[in-house]
Every structure is written in C-alpha cells, then in structure tokens.
C-alpha cells in the first residue's frame, strides 16, 4: 500500500480498470469483491461482499436478487470497519445499477460518522459510450490527472475508430446480444453502439437505454442472423453450462441463428459489462465474431467461442 499521497478504494471493476489505465495501480488500497483485473489487483483488501450464494443458475440468481430487493435490502454489504482502516481519500462507486455493484447508499453507514476528513465519492453512471468517456475524465479530474484522463480517452477512441474503419464496407449482420439467459435480457446501454461499431445491426435494444427484459417470442420475431451470449458476470464455461435450459425451448429451435450455427458465447465477466477501457476489446470481439479473419484481434478462444451445433440442440 502507498505510504503517502492519494489513497483510492474502488468498489466496482470498471472503475478499478479506469484507475489502473490512468496509472494509479499503486494508489489503490482497497477493492470490491469483484475487482479482479489487471494482474495484482486481487491482492488488495476486499471491502464488499455479495449476499448471493455461489454456484446459482441464471434463474436462481434473478429470483434471489428479487427476494433481497423486494425486502428493501441491498444485494451487497460493505465492511465498514475495514473501509475506515484503509483511510481512502477517494472512493470510486456507481449509481448505474443497484444490483450490479455497491452504490453510495450502501456506503451511508460507513460515512455517517466518519472520523476526520471524509473521502471524496466519485459515482459513475454511464448509459452510453459518451458517458463512459466522461466517467474516465471525471476519475482523472478527481485525482488531479486531467491530462492522463483525456489521453486515455483519446487512445481508446482511436482504437475504436480503427475497428470501425476495417468493417465499414462489409455487410451488417442483424445481432441479438443476450445479457441474461433465464429470463432473457437484451444487452442495452453501450452494447448497441459496440455492435454498430463492429459492423453489425443491433436488435431489440436501444443505444443509451438500460438493458431490457425480453422474451423468446420477441427474439423469434426479430429472428437475428447472429446471437451473441454475454451474461453479466458469467465466464464462457458458465454460459455454456446453462445452454440446455434455453435450448429446450421450442422457440429457440426456430431461430435462424440457431439453425445456421451462428451462436457465440463470450466472456461476460471481463467484457461488455464493464464500462471502462476494455470496451475496446469488447468491440474487437464483436468484430471477430461478425467478420472473421479480416478482424483477427486474437480474442477467439479466450474472449469468445463459437457454440457447437450439438450444444444448440435439446438435451
């Protein structure tokens, strides 16, 4: 931990990645239970925990979240004593999604009777890519690194512009990006922008709006050319393990993408659902899926896989 200077606690993975992108890894003194990238971050003290049991299915997670929220409780707990011991000058948190990460409300008990100067709260709430760039700049401003924030945004935008240029003249497949499997949810917010940037047409979600619940009836009506599975917080293996649940639905078998074998599983833990620097890699993954060898950024096998046809069929 740093002996002097700014002390930062980050309570969501994307903020941790933003801080590290700004060169502030050695300023971090604490993290959330989900902050696990880049390398070495996992060694930091953990100041939050989830009330969700490990190993739950998509449906079980959704049911448990609704039970907790319906009781007027938070999905997360903050280790107030440890947070105070870490003496942060800045706490990075968010207000974008109360079931995705700790919010300022979860910190209220820790901050109510803080001894000494209270830490500065920087709450991120991105709805689209413009907001993501703005949040990076805000973190930079909060730690007196405005130029570093602007430079990071410029680098990320430049890489995204390069992706767009590669696929500019190619046919745009119609894409359904599924952010939750059971019940189904379509990826909204910045994901439709990433799909368009990667040379696709986003279906069933509106750029800048929160991810909407949907039904397999609606997906069947849209009949996408490509389905990209990106469940929030799920690694590829978890997503593949849950495929039998949706493959058993007769509507699933009617989908063009399923018949054509154009269904892909991505790493929803590390990509797409963290609105920070690795949204660039998320766009690269989509470009690889939609346009093949001309957009080989090296993510196949680690960031995404093609779902085998056998796995798309009922068990």
């Amino acid at each position: 931990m740093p002996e002097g200077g700014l002390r930062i606690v980050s309570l969501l993975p994307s903020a941790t990645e933003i801080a590290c992108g700004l060169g502030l890894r050695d300023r971090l003194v604490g993290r959330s239970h989900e902050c696990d990238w880049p390398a070495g971050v996992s060694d930091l003290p953990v100041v939050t925990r989830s009330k969700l049991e490990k190993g739950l299915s998509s449906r079980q997670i959704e049911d448990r979240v609704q039970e907790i929220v319906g009781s007027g409780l938070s999905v997360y707990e903050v280790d107030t004593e440890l947070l105070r011991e870490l003496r942060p000058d800045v706490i990075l948190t968010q207000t974008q999604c109360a079931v995705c990460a700790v919010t300022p409300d979860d910190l209220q008990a820790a901050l109510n009777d803080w001894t000494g100067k209270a830490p500065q709260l920087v709450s991120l709430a991105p709805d689209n890519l413009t907001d993501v760039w703005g949040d990076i700049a805000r973190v930079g401003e909060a730690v007196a690194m405005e130029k570093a924030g602007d430079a990071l945004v410029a680098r990320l935008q430049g890489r995204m512009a390069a992706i767009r240029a590669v696929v500019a003249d190619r046919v745009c497949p119609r894409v359904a990006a599924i952010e939750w499997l059971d019940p189904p949810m379509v990826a909204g917010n910045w994901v439709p922008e990433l799909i368009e940037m990667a040379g696709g047409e986003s279906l069933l979600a509106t750029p800048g709006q929160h991810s909407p619940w949907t039904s397999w009836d609606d997906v069947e009506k849209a009949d996408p050319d490509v389905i990209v599975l990106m469940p929030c917080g799920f690694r590829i293996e978890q997503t593949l393990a849950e495929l039998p649940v949706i493959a058993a639905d007769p509507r699933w078998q009617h989908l063009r993408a399923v018949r054509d074998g154009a269904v892909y599983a991505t790493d929803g833990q590390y990509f797409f659902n963290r609105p920070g620097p690795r949204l660039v890699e998320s766009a690269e993954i989509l470009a690889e899926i939609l346009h093949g060898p001309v957009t080989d950024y090296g993510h196949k096998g680690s960031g995404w896989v093609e779902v085998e046809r056998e796995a798309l069929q009922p068990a």
Side-chain angles (χ1 to χ4, degrees):
M1 293 185 188
E3 295 182 358
L6 196 69
R7 300 171 65 85
I8 303 171
V9 167
S10 176
L11 299 182
L12 70 159
S14 59
T16 297
E17 296 180 17
I18 289 171
C20 292
L22 293 172
L24 295 168
R25 168 62 186 87
D26 63 346
R27 298 287 98 197
L28 289 169
V29 297
R31 66 176 178 96
S32 79
H33 61 286
E34 293 182 321
C35 297
D36 55 5
W37 195 92
V41 164
S42 297
D43 297 332
L44 294 169
V46 179
V47 297
T48 67
R49 79 171 188 88
S50 172
K51 295 178 183 176
L52 299 177
E53 301 85 353
K54 292 185 177 180
L56 299 179
S57 68
S58 294
R59 174 61 69 172
Q60 290 170 331
I61 291 172
E62 174 60 20
D63 290 345
R64 179 67 175 131
V65 166
Q66 292 305 319
E67 177 186 351
I68 294 171
V69 174
S71 300
L73 302 174
S74 170
V75 181
Y76 302 99
E77 291 181 349
V78 177
D79 188 333
T80 299
E81 183 177 347
L82 176 57
L83 183 62
R84 289 171 178 165
E85 289 176 1
L86 294 174
R87 297 179 291 107
D89 301 296
V90 176
I91 298 177
L92 304 178
T93 181
Q94 61 90 42
T95 56
Q96 206 261 349
C97 176
V99 300
C100 298
V102 170
T103 70
D105 288 343
D106 299 319
L107 293 168
Q108 201 59 51
L111 298 177
N112 276 343
D113 54 354
W114 194 276
T115 301
K117 183 181 178 181
Q120 176 186 0
L121 287 187
V122 180
S123 294
L124 311 183
D127 289 326
N128 52 38
L129 282 180
T130 298
D131 292 342
V132 174
W133 309 141
D135 280 346
I136 292 174
R138 289 180 60 233
V139 174
E141 181 180 357
V143 298
M145 295 183 65
E146 293 90 341
K147 290 184 179 179
D150 292 343
L152 177 57
V153 169
R155 289 197 302 272
L156 298 174
Q157 290 177 328
R159 291 174 60 191
M160 285 185 165
I163 297 169
R164 188 187 297 274
V166 170
V167 301
D169 297 326
R170 302 182 68 83
V171 175
C172 292
R174 300 163 63 253
V175 181
I178 307 300
E179 189 174 282
W180 201 247
L181 300 179
D182 186 23
M185 173 185 283
V186 183
N189 296 109
W190 46 85
V191 173
E193 293 177 87
L194 296 181
I195 291 172
E196 185 272 333
M197 181 183 303
E201 177 187 346
S202 177
L203 302 178
L204 300 169
T206 302
Q209 294 186 9
H210 287 300
S211 300
W213 294 108
T214 189
S215 69
W216 292 115
D217 283 330
D218 289 338
V219 177
E220 184 180 12
K221 291 175 183 176
D223 201 17
D225 302 311
V226 175
I227 295 175
V228 182
L229 306 175
M230 51 180 72
C232 184
F234 276 31
R235 306 300 304 273
I236 292 173
E237 296 77 11
Q238 292 173 279
T239 297
L240 294 178
E242 289 213 15
L243 271 180
V245 174
I246 57 177
D249 192 309
R251 293 165 295 185
W252 174 258
Q253 301 304 321
H254 295 161
L255 298 174
R256 178 198 315 268
V258 173
R259 296 196 307 270
D260 293 346
V263 179
Y264 304 88
T266 69
D267 191 328
Q269 168 74 2
Y270 287 131
F271 304 105
F272 301 105
N273 301 298
R274 294 188 178 186
R278 286 196 293 172
L279 288 186
V280 174
E281 281 84 350
S282 302
E284 291 175 347
I285 288 171
L286 288 168
E288 287 182 342
I289 288 172
L290 300 180
H291 298 293
V294 299
T295 54
D296 185 0
Y297 296 99
H299 298 298
K300 186 175 183 179
S302 57
W304 67 278
V305 298
E306 182 177 357
V307 179
E308 296 181 0
R309 286 180 178 269
E310 292 78 5
L312 299 175
Q313 304 306 312

